[in-house]
């Protein structure tokens, strides 16, 4: 190699090839809490019935969610939903969401979005609504390294979806960790 440009380019090219080939080796794996959240959300959606829904439900995940990567990752067991990332209420209105997973959105913002979509059956799940009195139908609760959930029956009854009663009993019994 007599060309100085090629002498500089060759090591850079090798480094890029190495990075591209080794990327799967360095990919972040899901933590136990990530897996718990993913399992919980997948289970809730798996036991939910939407009227006239033939295909796998679409879960719109707000980008503010702490667990957005876990909920949209292809790693691990198959998902019971098709994940789509959204950044705003406008994104939700432009997307056919069957379920919505809220991150940092406040309960009042959740109610506002519910009211905008009130004619369509949509399941609402939140990771930042510990009271679970308004807003989402299902609220994830985080205690140390455990994930549980609470159910807002009023919100669920207005959602237009049906959830297997066994799931509702789990929330009541608090043995679903």
């Amino acid at each position: 190699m007599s060309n100085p440009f090629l002498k500089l380019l060759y090591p850079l090219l090798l480094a890029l090839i190495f990075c591209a080939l080794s990327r799967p080796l360095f990919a972040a794996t899901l933590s136990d809490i990530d897996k718990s959240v993913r399992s919980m959300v997948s289970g809730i959606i798996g036991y939910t019935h939407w009227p006239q829904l033939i295909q796998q439900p679409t879960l719109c995940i707000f980008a503010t969610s702490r667990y957005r990567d876990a909920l949209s990752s292809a790693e691990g067991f198959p998902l019971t939903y098709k994940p789509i990332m959204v950044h705003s209420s406008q994104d939700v209105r432009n997307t056919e969401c069957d379920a919505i997973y809220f991150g940092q959105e406040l309960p009042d913002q959740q109610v506002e979005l519910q009211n905008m979509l009130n004619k369509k059956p949509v399941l609402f799940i939140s990771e930042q609504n510990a009271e679970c009195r308004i807003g989402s139908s299902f609220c994830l609760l985080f205690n140390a390294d455990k994930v549980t959930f609470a159910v807002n029956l009023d919100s669920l009854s207005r959602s237009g979806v049906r959830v297997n009663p066994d799931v509702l009993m789990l929330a009541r019994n608090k043995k679903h960790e």
Side-chain angles (χ1 to χ4, degrees), residues 91-121:
D91 285 353
V92 171
R93 280 185 254 153
N94 296 335
T95 307
E96 290 296 319
C97 304
D98 299 304
I100 299 172
Y101 185 89
F102 295 104
Q104 299 296 320
E105 291 70 29
L106 299 172
D108 290 336
Q109 293 170 304
Q110 297 168 26
V111 170
E112 184 179 317
L113 188 55
Q114 284 175 329
N115 290 337
M116 287 187 325
L117 302 172
N118 68 354
K119 301 292 185 222
K120 184 179 183 331

Side-chain angles (χ1 to χ4, degrees), residues 146-165:
K146 294 183 181 179
V147 181
T148 59
F149 65 90
V151 178
N152 178 333
L153 292 175
D154 182 49
S155 175
L156 184 60
S157 68
R158 287 179 292 148
S159 71
V161 300
R162 288 183 299 149
V163 177
N164 185 309

Side-chain angles (χ1 to χ4, degrees), residues 29-129:
T29 58
L30 297 178
S31 70
D32 288 342
I33 194 92
D34 288 339
K35 290 175 186 174
S36 293
V37 168
R38 181 178 166 143
S39 175
M40 186 81 61
V41 170
S42 206
I44 291 169
I45 291 174
Y47 284 99
T48 300
H49 172 74
W50 285 262
Q52 303 175 351
L53 183 65
I54 301 168
Q55 75 278 359
Q56 195 175 37
T58 299
L59 174 65
C60 292
I61 305 162
F62 269 88
T64 60
S65 166
R66 180 176 176 191
Y67 300 99
R68 67 182 173 270
D69 294 335
L71 293 170
S72 60
S73 168
E75 180 184 326
F77 59 88
L79 298 172
T80 58
Y81 54 86
K82 182 177 107 182
I84 293 180
M85 201 65 57
V86 294
H87 295 73
S88 67
S89 296
Q90 185 63 40
D91 285 353
V92 171
R93 280 185 254 153
N94 296 335
T95 307
E96 290 296 319
C97 304
D98 299 304
I100 299 172
Y101 185 89
F102 295 104
Q104 299 296 320
E105 291 70 29
L106 299 172
D108 290 336
Q109 293 170 304
Q110 297 168 26
V111 170
E112 184 179 317
L113 188 55
Q114 284 175 329
N115 290 337
M116 287 187 325
L117 302 172
N118 68 354
K119 301 292 185 222
K120 184 179 183 331
V122 179
L123 178 68
F124 297 93
I125 304 171
S126 177
E127 69 183 28
Q128 296 292 325
N129 188 349

Side-chain angles (χ1 to χ4, degrees), residues 13-27:
L13 185 60
L14 285 177
L16 287 172
I17 290 171
F18 173 75
C19 287
L21 293 176
S22 63
R23 189 167 186 212
L25 298 175
F26 298 118

